[in-house]
Amino acid sequence: MERAGSKRGAAAHVTPARLAQLLGGPVAVAVASWIYLAVMIDDMSAIPGMSAMMMSPQVFTPMQVIGLFLMWAVMMAAMMLPTAAPMIVAYARMQGADRANGAGWLPVLAFSGGYVLAWAGFSLVAAGLQAGLTNLAFMSPMMMKATAPLGGAILVVAGLYQVSPMKHACLRQCRTPISFLMTQWRGGRLGALAMGWRHGLFCVGCCWALMGLLFVVGVMNTAWIIAITVYVWVEKIIPGSETLSKLVGAAMVGLGFWISF
């Protein structure tokens, strides 16, 4: 705790120019992810194994599953890294002692990498789920979209999770960067990686059900990718977002039942 407090004191000495340098790594990863995501949306053949999957959706090769995982991992990095900006900036400001020891920008990149790694774990589950649902004909291989009954069920589950205590416990961790860093602080690059991983797990716990909406509207639906990204960002930063989450959750449950029945 004392070490974290000393870092908070050092935060005031980080100039805007220096902060921009420290954030260069995560910004580059986010920009590259958005660029590759745009390429994949424009041309599905940019996803390894996707062309073969569309022709033979009942048989999945390891390369096709890897392609789905890559698609989800890039999409999650593009969507979620910008929403983690307040936490990453707070970390960059607080790790002054490590910088004084010559650590430079690497701990900030390691923190961001741990965060992305947590979402890569989610991406692995999502890719496996998509492969299984497509194999069972519950998802269209062309539209990458669930059938109406399944889509309605996903909306109901996602909506119920939006109003659950678990959702709001994880959301509180995402909304309070200083509190998280003060209680979870680890020094050095490996410590930064572990902190980013832990924050990523809280973020997955907060947002996994929202990402499930992509199964309903189409996994590569550009408008919904942007809409969900903006919503997650708003949910993390505005006061009283717990109320917003509950209202959105209730709307999702109602829409889910309407689609299903």
Side-chain angles (χ1 to χ4, degrees):
M1 184 70 71
E2 180 181 352
R3 183 169 170 76
S6 67
K7 294 177 188 303
R8 182 170 58 177
H13 302 293
V14 183
T15 65
R18 180 57 177 158
L19 184 61
Q21 292 177 346
L22 293 171
L23 297 176
V27 168
V29 173
V31 170
S33 298
W34 275 107
I35 291 172
Y36 190 27
L37 178 59
V39 170
M40 289 190 293
I41 291 172
D42 182 64
D43 181 8
M44 291 292 185
S45 65
I47 305 172
M50 186 57 63
S51 298
M53 187 190 84
M54 290 181 177
M55 290 185 293
S56 302
Q58 303 304 315
V59 179
F60 277 82
T61 66
M63 180 55 68
Q64 289 167 343
V65 176
I66 290 171
L68 288 177
F69 166 71
L70 177 64
M71 176 190 72
W72 276 97
V74 170
M75 186 162 53
M76 291 302 99
M79 294 175 69
M80 298 310 298
L81 259 178
T83 72
M87 184 70 73
I88 295 172
V89 169
Y91 173 78
R93 289 183 176 279
M94 288 181 67
Q95 49 101 221
D98 286 336
R99 285 198 301 277
N101 293 328
W105 52 269
L106 284 175
V108 179
L109 185 61
F111 183 91
S112 305
Y115 180 81
V116 171
L117 190 61
W119 277 105
F122 168 85
S123 300
L124 185 62
V125 175
L129 183 60
Q130 183 177 345
L133 291 174
T134 303
N135 184 265
L136 295 171
F138 288 123
M139 284 191 73
S140 163
M142 295 292 293
M143 300 297 293
M144 290 193 283
K145 181 177 178 180
T147 60
L150 177 60
I154 291 172
L155 277 169
V156 171
V157 171
L160 290 175
Y161 188 75
Q162 278 290 106
V163 302
S164 70
M166 178 67 75
K167 157 76 180 189
H168 294 287
C170 292
L171 179 58
R172 283 192 293 272
Q173 291 289 337
C174 294
R175 293 188 62 206
T176 54
I178 299 302
S179 175
F180 173 84
L181 294 171
M182 292 285 285
T183 57
Q184 303 291 331
W185 190 268
R186 303 289 185 276
R189 297 170 192 172
L190 289 179
L193 184 69
M195 290 171 64
W197 163 261
R198 186 163 178 80
H199 175 52
L201 292 180
F202 280 122
C203 196
V204 171
C206 174
C207 302
W208 67 266
L210 291 170
M211 298 307 158
L213 296 181
L214 293 172
F215 286 97
V216 181
V217 299
V219 172
M220 298 294 277
N221 185 315
T222 307
W224 276 96
I225 288 172
I226 295 172
I228 293 172
T229 302
V230 172
Y231 174 78
V232 170
W233 181 74
V234 168
E235 197 176 60
K236 286 184 177 182
I237 65 168
I238 68 167
S241 62
E242 290 86 354
T243 301
L244 174 63
S245 297
K246 292 176 181 178
L247 291 173
V248 170
M252 289 163 63
V253 171
L255 182 60
F257 278 115
W258 183 77
I259 291 175
S260 297
F261 302 106

